């Protein structure tokens, strides 16, 4: 019985770690004056003044970033740079 419980706990733990992959957050950076999209849960400290998410896709995060008033609009050059980096 103990083996079954241990196996279930390990399976559950590995499943939740796997679900965290592929998530995106919108992060406001006070130093750069920009909002960026990151793939890890942000720590709100220092120049990072807000984090919004998680979102299931980069497209969802981009849409959310466009609706956040404090985020400046992204230029086409910045959009290409972001898409090329990934």
């Amino acid at each position: 019985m103990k083996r079954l419980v241990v196996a279930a706990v390990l399976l559950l733990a590995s499943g939740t770690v796997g679900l965290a992959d592929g998530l995106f957050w919108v992060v406001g950076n006070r130093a750069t004056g920009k909002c960026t999209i990151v793939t890890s849960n942000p720590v709100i400290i220092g120049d990072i003044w807000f984090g919004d998410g998680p979102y299931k896709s980069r497209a969802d995060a981009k849409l959310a970033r466009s609706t956040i008033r404090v985020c400046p609009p992204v230029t086409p050059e910045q959009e290409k740079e972001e898409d090329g980096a990934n």
Side-chain angles (χ1 to χ4, degrees), residues 12-44:
L12 182 64
S14 65
T16 56
V17 170
L19 290 175
D21 292 342
L23 296 178
F24 299 90
W25 286 262
V26 178
V27 176
N29 189 328
R30 198 179 313 244
T32 62
K34 296 181 181 178
C35 295
T36 56
I37 297 173
V38 297
T39 57
S40 62
N41 194 354
V43 176
I44 311 302

Side-chain angles (χ1 to χ4, degrees), residues 43-75:
V43 176
I44 311 302
I45 189 167
D47 289 331
I48 305 300
W49 61 292
F50 79 87
D52 187 40
Y55 298 98
K56 292 183 181 180
S57 70
R58 181 171 290 279
D60 289 345
K62 285 181 182 181
L63 179 63
R65 178 176 59 186
S66 70
T67 63
I68 299 172
R69 279 191 242 158
V70 295
C71 293
V74 178
T75 64

